[in-house]
Amino acid sequence: MLATALGSPAPFGQSQFAFMRGNAFEAKVKADGGAELLRLLYERLGGGAPPPAGDAATPDLSAAGPEGRAARTALALREATAAGGWALLDHPMLALEVAGSPAYLEPDAVVVHPDGRWTVVEIKSFPMIDASADASKVGAAARQAAVYVLALERVAAVTEGAEVGHRVLLVCPKDFSNLPTASVVDVRKQRAVTRRQLTRLTRIEDIAAELPQGTTFDPACAPEELDAAVAAVPPAYAPECLSACELAFHCRAKSRAEGGVEALGRGVRGELGGLTTVAEVLAAAAGKEGDPADPTVAALRRAAALRAEALESAAALCAGAGAWEAAPLSGDGADRGASKAGGAAGPVPGASEEAGPCR
C-alpha cells in the first residue's frame, strides 16, 4: 500500500496458478495426518527412534491473533516433547525479535521426535530432478529455514529436554511428477549468518527517535508528504531488494536520480570504495578527479584506457573496410573486365595474342 501511494507499485507477484499448485502439493504431502511427510523424515532423519506408526500427534494450534498462536505453538511444543512421541505441528506460529520488535513466522511444519529433537520442514513446489534441485532456490529455502531454526531455539531454551536440529527437511516434487521426495539441508552456516545480521540491525526505537516530529507513513497522506517521510529514513538499496521489498522500485528510482552506485549492485559498490556516485566514477576514470595512488582510481583509469584503445581499433577497422569497398577494381579484376570488353569489341590493344577469348 505504501509503495502504491508513492506511485511506485511493485509490478510483480506470484501467479494464482503457482499458489494453487503449491497449495495442492503441500496438501498432498500432509494428507492422512502427514503420513507421507513423516515417512520421508524418518528415512532421512529418523535416527534410532521407532518409526511413526500412524499415531503421531497433530495438535490444534488455532488461537486468536499471532501472539495467541505463538503462545499456543510454544505450549504444543512443550507438551509434545514431554510426551516422548512423534508429533507434527502444521503451520505453527513462531516469534523472533527483529530490531527490537517481534516478527511472527509461520513455517510449513515442525516435527517433534521422540528424543525431543525438533526439525523444521520446508515444502517447496520447485522440482528435484535426479535428486538435485536448483541451487539458488535451495539456498533461498535454507536461509528461510535458518530463520525458523533461530525462532525455535528461543522456545527450546525454556523447554526441558528439547533440542532444535540444524538439519532441516526440504520436500519437493520428484522429477516431473507431483510425487514428494525429500532432501536434508544443513543450515548451520545460514543460521550463523542470520544471527550475526540480526545483532547488527538498528533498533526500530533508535530509527524512530531520529525522525522529525510528526512524521507519519500513513498511505492516506499526500504523496509529497509521504515521500518526505520515506526520505527521512536513509535507504540501503541494492538490486536484491527487488525480490523482497515492496519499496524497492521507489528506492531504485531515487538511487538512479541521485546517480548512486548502489543501483549497480553490492559487489560493484564494494569495489568502488569511496566513490559513491556514477559521476564521481566517470570523473575518476577520465582523470579529472581522484587520487592516482588510489587502487580503485588507478583501475578505473586503466579500464578507461583499454576501452578507448578498443574503440580506436574498431574505428580503424571500420574505416579500412569502408575504403576497400569503395576502391575501384584493379589487378586481376581489371584484366578480367578488359578481357570481357575485348571479347565483345575486338582485342584490347597491347594484349597478348596467346590469350584466349573471354569465357
Side-chain angles (χ1 to χ4, degrees), residues 59-63 68-70 72-73 76-77 88-93:
D60 181 15
L61 304 178
S62 59
R69 289 185 59 196
R72 180 69 187 91
T73 296
L77 286 168
L88 173 63
L89 279 67
D90 186 10
H91 284 288
M93 182 67 71

Side-chain angles (χ1 to χ4, degrees), residues 270-281:
E271 292 289 340
L272 292 175
L275 304 175
T276 58
T277 65
V278 175
E280 291 178 357
V281 173

Side-chain angles (χ1 to χ4, degrees), residues 318-330:
C318 290
W324 181 82
E325 291 177 358
L329 292 175
S330 61

Side-chain angles (χ1 to χ4, degrees), residues 155-294:
V155 183
V158 294
T159 303
E160 184 178 357
E163 177 189 2
V164 181
H166 296 153
R167 296 195 298 167
V168 304
L169 188 72
L170 177 62
V171 181
C172 299
K174 182 179 181 180
D175 298 329
F176 300 99
S177 69
N178 202 36
L179 299 175
T181 187
S183 178
V184 176
V185 181
D186 194 321
V187 298
R188 282 179 292 185
K189 179 180 178 181
Q190 292 82 358
R191 169 185 167 276
V193 171
T194 304
R195 180 187 289 277
R196 184 166 61 250
Q197 290 175 339
L198 289 175
T199 58
R200 294 178 178 179
L201 290 177
T202 304
R203 296 181 66 86
I204 294 179
E205 300 86 24
D206 298 335
I207 297 176
E210 297 180 1
L211 295 177
Q213 189 69 24
T215 299
T216 178
F217 298 98
D218 186 356
C221 295
E224 297 79 10
E225 181 182 353
L226 196 58
D227 185 69
V230 173
V233 182
Y237 171 76
E240 294 84 354
C241 298
L242 294 173
S243 62
C245 180
E246 67 169 10
L247 290 176
F249 289 88
H250 174 78
C251 295
R252 183 179 67 174
K254 293 293 184 181
S255 179
R256 287 178 173 177
E258 296 170 359
V261 297
E262 292 84 359
L264 304 176
R266 289 193 176 100
V268 176
R269 175 69 186 88
E271 292 289 340
L272 292 175
L275 304 175
T276 58
T277 65
V278 175
E280 291 178 357
V281 173
L282 295 176
K288 299 177 182 178
E289 297 181 7
D291 182 6
D294 186 342

Side-chain angles (χ1 to χ4, degrees), residues 106-196:
E106 188 175 348
D108 293 326
V110 172
V111 175
V112 179
H113 297 242
D115 59 0
R117 184 159 39 99
W118 301 348
T119 297
V120 173
V121 178
E122 270 298 291
I123 303 174
K124 299 296 183 182
S125 59
F126 57 83
M128 284 188 187
I129 301 176
D130 292 335
S132 179
D134 185 279
S136 62
K137 294 180 179 180
V138 173
R143 290 189 293 273
Q144 181 179 351
V147 180
Y148 300 147
V149 169
L150 286 174
L152 277 173
E153 287 177 346
R154 297 183 60 195
V155 183
V158 294
T159 303
E160 184 178 357
E163 177 189 2
V164 181
H166 296 153
R167 296 195 298 167
V168 304
L169 188 72
L170 177 62
V171 181
C172 299
K174 182 179 181 180
D175 298 329
F176 300 99
S177 69
N178 202 36
L179 299 175
T181 187
S183 178
V184 176
V185 181
D186 194 321
V187 298
R188 282 179 292 185
K189 179 180 178 181
Q190 292 82 358
R191 169 185 167 276
V193 171
T194 304
R195 180 187 289 277
R196 184 166 61 250

Side-chain angles (χ1 to χ4, degrees), residues 307-319:
R307 177 179 181 273
E309 181 180 344
L311 291 176
E312 183 178 351
S313 300
L317 289 173
C318 290

